[in-house]
């Protein structure tokens, strides 16, 4: 199990700093491991971004399945995934509500001038995050590497609450982006195709 | 709190719920509505308070004398797709009614209400009607005018041999509603006449859900409006020309926000190859790339439209490289839609035409259920993505790794490298570059603003929004 390979597998193409942040490693550690993985033909670097190769994806699938079976965690991850799926449509609704605001029944881009509306959406995000925290705790108990998602989701929400409006749905470190990596990770971990 | 669906019932919509109010209005207009009754909003509120069910429910159901019934939610405030519908209920209905009452409190429904300032304690009415069977004819949705352009012809979808829930779920490919003309000519004439009657009553464009059973038309729901901003401008002007409303009313109906939305540049007609839902406004022209990696490479040579069955985080680099985004699946809250808006890229989602026939079922399974912002009336189960994933578990492990995206797209999908244009407002996809229609070329908009100047008495050069605002202040 290579944390960096698996992180990259769930992120797609990304620059070094984002990979290091997601994997909770230093830039130097991450780069060193990426170079080893590249030598083995498991990752590639294009236009400044790293991404997994087909061989890298296949190898990660194999290692992730082995890790899951060794930990005897399939049942627990499967159950947590079921709970995640009930939260997923709500998260997507809230991201849309953050980006588009109904005005006279017409969705218009949210210019964030209506602070009362933003406060309502942010508060709903907070409620959802509390329920997501329970799911993340179950996942981390089954496989410790999932604990990083809790930290990243919480950090994104904190940044948004501190006024960084793009940190809910509109940046590469946003709650939405981390959430989708978690979704991808669950699919990969359980060996399920998307759709 | 049980009332029959009958022309003599005059309770307001906040008691009857919007659906029952519309059905009774149609009965009063002499239009065909299946017999039934409504468990009114106060009964739904009582259920939420302390779980009590209204008395007389089963007696009313027995009195209906129908073997099977439909049980549908119908709140006073429209919450499209957020609550339950149960079709083909046989025997006692108490459980079905309490299920619909309880569906008021699903998490998504709660979110919807918070965002739209709807109180949580209102509750919903429940409409119970004799079941009509689209299996013995067809079902569909019809607008009195084209909801995208406002053109004055009936527009909509019909599905022969199926009931209405199949149409709105998108599980099966539909035909244009005009197909009724050939297959069910009597029902078609009745539908066209009904739409005209409803327009005259509501003095606005309307849309209905309908079922044709053994050649006979039944109307199951009516709602006024439901138009894009551009269509709303045209309809307001046309209705004034037709004498259904006066010019002051036409100006009153278009808010400055709608005017701004109507002024977004739109694609000219062109050779339309697919239609989806506009998820991020704007028009984009570029060459088709069918994977994220290709999009990144091709973007070096010019604008690219990324075309995908749906998107995931591993497409992010392709989404960022693309000028526009087109997906076959998903709704206004899908990953592609959220990311496209965050990047300010035009996007069309849920263009199911892009999938091969064998893939239509899968497309529907992952389509987003309801439009949270109420722009459209597409409904489905809450947890559709989950359903698709559970089915997918049977697939070979790792199949997603080796299966390219392109083979999920059907033969109708444009080939890589093809120049296409997408309109993120209307959801249309055209071959080539048909060009843009700027708002100033819209004769309807011009006339509406002229009427606004007549009202304000101010003809100085100003923006359209200023002209409209000045007129509306005088109204």
């Amino acid at each position: 199990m290579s944390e960096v390979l698996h992180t990259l597998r769930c992120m797609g193409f990304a620059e070094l700093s984002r990979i290091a942040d997601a994997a909770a490693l230093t830039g130097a550690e991450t780069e060193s491991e990426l170079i080893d993985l590249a030598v083995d033909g498991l990752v590639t670097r294009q236009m400044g971004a790293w991404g997994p190769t087909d061989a890298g994806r296949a190898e990660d699938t194999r290692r992730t399945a082995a890790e899951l079976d060794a930990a005897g965690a399939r049942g627990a991850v499967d159950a947590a995934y079921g709970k995640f799926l009930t939260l997923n449509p709500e998260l997507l609704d809230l991201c849309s509500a953050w980006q588009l605001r109904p005005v006279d029944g017409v969705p218009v881009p949210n210019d964030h001038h209506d602070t009362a509306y933003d406060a309502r959406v942010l508060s709903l995000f907070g409620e959802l995050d509390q329920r997501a925290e329970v799911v993340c705790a179950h996942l981390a108990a089954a496989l410790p590497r999932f604990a990083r998602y809790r930290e990243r989701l919480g950090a994104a929400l904190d940044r948004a609450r501190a006024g960084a409006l793009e940190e809910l749905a509109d940046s590469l470190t946003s709650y939405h982006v981390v959430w989708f990596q978690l979704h991808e990770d669950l699919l990969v971990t359980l060996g399920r195709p998307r759709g | 709190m049980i009332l029959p669906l009958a022309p003599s019932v005059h309770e307001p919509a906040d008691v009857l719920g919007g659906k029952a109010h519309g059905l009774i209005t149609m009965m009063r207009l002499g239009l065909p509505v299946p017999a039934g009754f409504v468990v009114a909003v106060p009964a739904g509120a009582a259920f939420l308070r302390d779980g009590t069910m209204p008395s007389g429910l089963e007696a009313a159901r027995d009195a209906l004398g129908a073997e099977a019934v439909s049980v549908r939610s119908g709140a006073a405030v429209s919450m499209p797709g957020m609550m339950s519908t149960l079709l083909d209920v046989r025997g006692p209905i108490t459980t079905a009614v309490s299920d619909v009452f309880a569906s008021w409190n699903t998490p998504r429904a709660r979110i919807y209400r918070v965002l739209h300032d709807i109180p949580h304690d209102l509750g919903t009415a429940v409409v119970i009607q004799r079941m009509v069977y689209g299996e013995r004819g067809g079902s569909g949705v019809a607008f009195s005018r084209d909801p995208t352009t406002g053109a004055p012809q009936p527009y909509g979808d019909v599905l022969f041999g199926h009931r209405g829930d199949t149409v709105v779920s998108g599980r099966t490919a539909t035909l244009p509603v005009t197909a009724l003309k050939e297959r069910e000519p009597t029902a078609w004439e009745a539908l066209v006449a009904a739409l005209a009657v409803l327009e005259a009553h509501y003095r606005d464009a309307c849309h209905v859900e309908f079922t044709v059973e053994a050649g006979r038309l039944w109307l199951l729901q009516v709602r006024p409006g439901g138009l894009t901003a551009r269509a709303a401008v045209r309809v307001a002007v046309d209705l004034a020309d037709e004498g259904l409303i006066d010019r002051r009313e036409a100006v009153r109906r278009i808010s400055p926000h709608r005017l701004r939305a109507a002024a977004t540049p739109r694609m000219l007609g062109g050779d339309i190859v697919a239609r989806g839902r506009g998820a991020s406004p704007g028009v984009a022209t570029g060459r088709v790339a069918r994977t994220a990696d290709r999009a990144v490479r091709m973007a070096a040579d010019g604008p690219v439209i990324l075309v995908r069955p749906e998107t995931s985080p591993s497409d992010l680099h392709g989404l960022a490289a693309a000028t526009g985004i087109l997906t076959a699946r998903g709704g206004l809250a899908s990953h592609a839609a959220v990311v496209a808006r965050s990047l300010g890229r035009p996007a069309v989602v849920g263009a199911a035409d892009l999938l091969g026939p064998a893939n239509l079922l899968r497309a529907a399974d992952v389509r987003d259920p309801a439009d949270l912002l109420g722009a459209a009336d597409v409904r489905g189960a809450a947890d559709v993505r989950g359903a698709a994933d559970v089915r997918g578990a049977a697939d070979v492990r790792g199949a997603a790794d080796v299966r390219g995206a392109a083979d999920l797209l059907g033969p109708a999908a444009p080939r890589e490298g093809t120049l296409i244009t997408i309109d993120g407002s209307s959801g249309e996809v055209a071959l080539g570059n048909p060009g843009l229609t700027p708002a100033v070329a819209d004769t309807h908009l011009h006339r509406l603003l002229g009427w606004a100047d007549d009202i304000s008495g101010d003809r100085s050069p100003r923006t359209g929004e200023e002209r409209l605002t000045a007129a509306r202040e005088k109204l």
Side-chain angles (χ1 to χ4, degrees), chain A residues 9-13 18 46-47 54 57-58 61 65-66 68-69 74 81-82 85-86 88-97 99-109 111 117 120-121 124 131 169-172 176-177 180-181 183-184 187 189-195, chain B residues 82 107-108 110-111 114-117 229 255-258 260-261 279 281 293 296-297 310-314 316-317 329 332-335 337-339 341-342 362 366 368 370-375 382-383 385-390 392-393 395-401 403 472:
Chain A
R9 163 75 184 282
C10 298
M11 295 180 86
F13 275 79
R18 285 182 59 218
Q46 286 175 12
M47 289 177 245
D54 287 345
R57 275 187 281 266
T61 297
L68 187 66
D69 291 337
R74 180 172 295 276
Y81 177 58
L85 286 180
T86 63
N88 197 43
E90 292 176 53
L91 183 275
L92 289 169
D93 283 349
L94 289 177
C95 288
S96 283
Q99 294 175 323
L100 300 173
R101 193 165 56 96
V103 176
D104 305 331
V106 184
V108 299
D111 57 13
Y117 176 86
R120 286 207 301 268
V121 179
L124 287 167
R131 284 181 286 147
D170 304 308
S171 83
L172 285 174
H176 177 256
V177 165
F180 253 81
Q181 281 166 23
H183 192 180
E184 195 74 4
L187 292 171
T189 301
L190 292 168
R192 294 182 179 190
R194 179 174 286 271
Chain B
M82 292 288 153
R108 298 193 72 213
R110 292 188 68 85
I111 291 178
V114 170
L115 298 178
H116 290 258
D117 270 332
S255 69
H257 282 291
R258 294 215 102 183
R260 196 183 310 160
D293 289 353
V296 171
R297 264 173 250 141
E310 64 188 331
T311 65
S312 77
S314 50
L316 214 50
H317 58 305
R329 302 174 184 157
L332 297 191
S334 63
H335 178 262
V338 171
V339 174
R341 290 192 292 263
S342 77
R362 295 179 68 102
V366 293
D368 270 7
D371 175 355
L372 185 76
L373 293 154
D383 202 2
R385 186 182 292 278
D389 284 336
V390 170
D395 289 11
V396 180
R397 169 181 286 188
D401 297 339
R403 183 175 56 200
R472 286 162 60 90

Side-chain angles (χ1 to χ4, degrees), chain B residues 299-373:
Chain B
D301 299 324
V304 167
I305 308 290
L306 178 63
V307 182
R308 297 283 296 160
E310 64 188 331
T311 65
S312 77
S314 50
D315 294 316
L316 214 50
H317 58 305
L319 291 163
T323 304
I325 294 139
L326 169 61
T327 71
R329 302 174 184 157
L332 297 191
S334 63
H335 178 262
V338 171
V339 174
R341 290 192 292 263
S342 77
L343 297 168
R345 307 277 196 277
V348 173
V349 298
D353 314 349
L354 299 174
L355 296 166
N359 284 313
L360 280 172
L361 186 66
R362 295 179 68 102
D365 287 343
V366 293
R367 170 178 287 199
D368 270 7
D371 175 355
L372 185 76
L373 293 154

Side-chain angles (χ1 to χ4, degrees), chain A residues 5-54:
Chain A
L5 176 61
H6 183 69
T7 299
L8 198 51
R9 163 75 184 282
C10 298
M11 295 180 86
F13 275 79
E15 319 80 65
L16 180 62
S17 59
R18 285 182 59 218
I19 306 164
D21 177 62
L25 297 170
T26 67
E29 289 165 342
T30 308
E31 187 163 42
S32 166
E33 186 161 349
L34 283 167
I35 291 167
D36 288 344
L37 290 165
V39 170
D40 293 339
L42 301 179
V43 304
T44 177
R45 190 160 186 271
Q46 286 175 12
M47 289 177 245
W50 294 89
T53 62
D54 287 345

Side-chain angles (χ1 to χ4, degrees), chain B residues 7-193:
Chain B
S8 56
V9 172
H10 283 275
E11 268 75 4
D14 57 358
V15 173
L16 295 170
K19 184 171 287 160
H21 192 260
L23 291 171
I24 289 171
T25 299
M26 290 199 287
M27 286 176 149
R28 221 172 278 144
L29 293 168
L31 299 174
V33 173
F37 59 94
V38 55
V39 187
V41 173
F47 177 86
L48 293 178
R49 263 197 319 274
D50 50 24
T52 47
M53 288 292 287
S55 56
L57 201 52
E58 297 303 338
R61 189 246 178 280
D62 293 343
L64 202 54
E67 192 188 338
V69 296
S70 65
V71 179
R72 301 190 294 159
S73 61
V77 190
S78 173
M79 293 173 50
M82 292 288 153
M83 288 179 288
S84 292
T85 284
L86 298 152
L87 297 181
D88 216 358
V89 177
R90 290 159 197 279
I93 56 164
T94 300
T95 310
V97 172
S98 66
D99 284 354
V100 174
F101 277 159
S103 72
W104 173 264
N105 269 332
T106 64
R108 298 193 72 213
R110 292 188 68 85
I111 291 178
Y112 185 95
R113 288 197 296 273
V114 170
L115 298 178
H116 290 258
D117 270 332
I118 302 169
H120 284 309
D121 58 357
L122 288 183
T124 181
V126 182
V127 177
I128 293 101
Q129 287 177 284
R130 174 179 84 75
M131 185 69 198
V132 287
Y133 290 95
E135 291 94 323
R136 301 173 195 156
S139 295
V141 179
F143 288 79
S144 58
R145 301 182 189 228
D146 187 322
T148 304
T149 65
Q153 294 101 31
Y155 181 96
D157 300 314
V158 64
L159 191 56
F160 293 106
H162 288 84
R163 58 177 72 158
D165 53 341
T166 318
V167 179
V168 291
S169 78
R171 231 168 283 148
T172 311
T174 56
L175 294 171
V177 71
T178 46
L180 275 177
K181 211 182 297 185
E182 293 269 312
R183 293 273 292 266
E184 298 279 0
T186 312
W188 168 253
E189 279 178 31
L191 178 63
V192 173

